[in-house]
């Protein structure tokens, strides 16, 4: 695997581990908590986080809007265990896919269904940013809305 991809995967892995640690401190009833009526519940946010690696991999490979809609409809993580399993399985799928890409494939430009064009490597960086963004969002929801500070270091 490309050296830069290895570094990006190390950082995604760190974020996934920290999310996993946060999930281990939650109870099933926490999944229903919704800090704002028009925003995701903790469970919905965690379901999204658990699926980021797989969904964004499809985007990085040029999936259409209909393909993405069908992909999202095919997945449901309803319990903390489901979410934790999804995090790991989808991370491994992303890593496996990127391990198979040649340098040329990493530099291939892919346009998303909404019109943004990045190289496949840049899509990996976007996935990294996406995971970290929602990890911070989860942490903020727990701390500021529910007074549940996980008490873990968010970075190594």
């Amino acid at each position: 695997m490309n050296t830069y991809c290895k570094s990006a995967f190390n950082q995604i892995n760190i974020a996934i581990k920290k999310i996993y640690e946060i999930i281990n401190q939650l109870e099933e009833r926490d999944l229903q908590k919704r800090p704002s009526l028009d925003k995701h519940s903790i469970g919905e946010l965690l379901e999204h986080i658990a699926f980021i690696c797989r969904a964004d991999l499809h985007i990085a490979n040029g999936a259409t809007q209909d393909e993405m809609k069908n992909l999202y409809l095919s997945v449901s993580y309803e319990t903390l265990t489901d979410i934790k399993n999804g995090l790991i399985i989808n991370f491994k799928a992303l890593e496996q896919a990127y391990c198979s890409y040649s340098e040329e494939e990493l530099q291939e430009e892919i346009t998303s269904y909404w019109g943004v064009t990045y190289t496949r490597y840049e899509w990996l960086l976007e996935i990294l940013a996406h995971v970290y963004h929602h990890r911070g969002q989860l942490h903020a929801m727990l701390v500021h809305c529910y007074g549940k500070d996980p008490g873990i270091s968010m970075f190594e």
Side-chain angles (χ1 to χ4, degrees):
M1 179 189 292
N2 171 296
T3 302
Y4 298 110
C5 289
K6 282 183 187 178
S7 295
F9 275 106
N10 181 56
Q11 293 301 309
I12 295 170
N13 190 43
I14 289 168
I16 297 288
K17 285 180 182 177
K18 299 299 180 175
I19 294 164
Y20 202 96
E21 287 179 44
I22 291 171
I23 293 169
N24 281 337
Q25 295 182 27
L26 298 177
E27 299 174 22
E28 294 294 332
R29 69 175 183 236
D30 292 325
L31 297 176
Q32 303 308 312
K33 293 178 179 174
R34 184 181 306 275
S36 299
L37 291 177
D38 61 337
K39 298 296 180 185
H40 290 303
S41 68
I42 290 172
E44 290 164 342
L45 176 59
L46 282 169
E47 184 176 40
H48 177 71
I49 292 170
F51 201 56
I52 286 172
C53 288
R54 181 158 324 242
D56 286 6
L57 172 62
H58 285 274
I59 291 168
N61 284 318
T64 66
Q65 186 172 9
D66 284 340
E67 288 169 336
M68 292 306 298
K69 180 180 175 184
N70 290 333
L71 182 66
Y72 282 117
L73 289 173
S74 73
V75 173
S76 177
Y77 302 126
E78 296 182 10
T79 67
L80 293 170
T81 299
D82 291 344
I83 292 165
K84 289 190 298 188
N85 289 338
L87 267 174
I88 302 306
I89 289 166
N90 294 323
F91 171 73
K92 288 181 180 180
L94 176 68
E95 190 173 37
Q96 183 177 12
Y98 268 80
C99 279
S100 72
Y101 295 144
S102 67
E103 288 296 321
E104 293 78 24
E105 289 170 313
L106 287 172
Q107 294 309 314
E108 182 182 350
E109 290 188 342
I110 307 290
T111 301
S112 69
Y113 65 84
W114 63 90
V116 173
T117 301
Y118 293 138
T119 66
R120 208 174 252 118
Y121 175 71
E122 287 175 305
W123 280 114
L124 179 60
L125 297 179
E126 184 69 21
I127 294 166
L128 170 62
H130 195 181
V131 171
Y132 269 81
H133 163 72
H134 286 304
R135 183 190 71 175
Q137 185 181 29
L138 173 64
H139 186 266
M141 284 171 70
L142 293 171
V143 170
H144 299 292
C145 298
Y146 298 106
K148 286 187 115 168
D149 189 340
I152 61 171
S153 172
M154 298 299 279
F155 299 93
E156 290 188 345

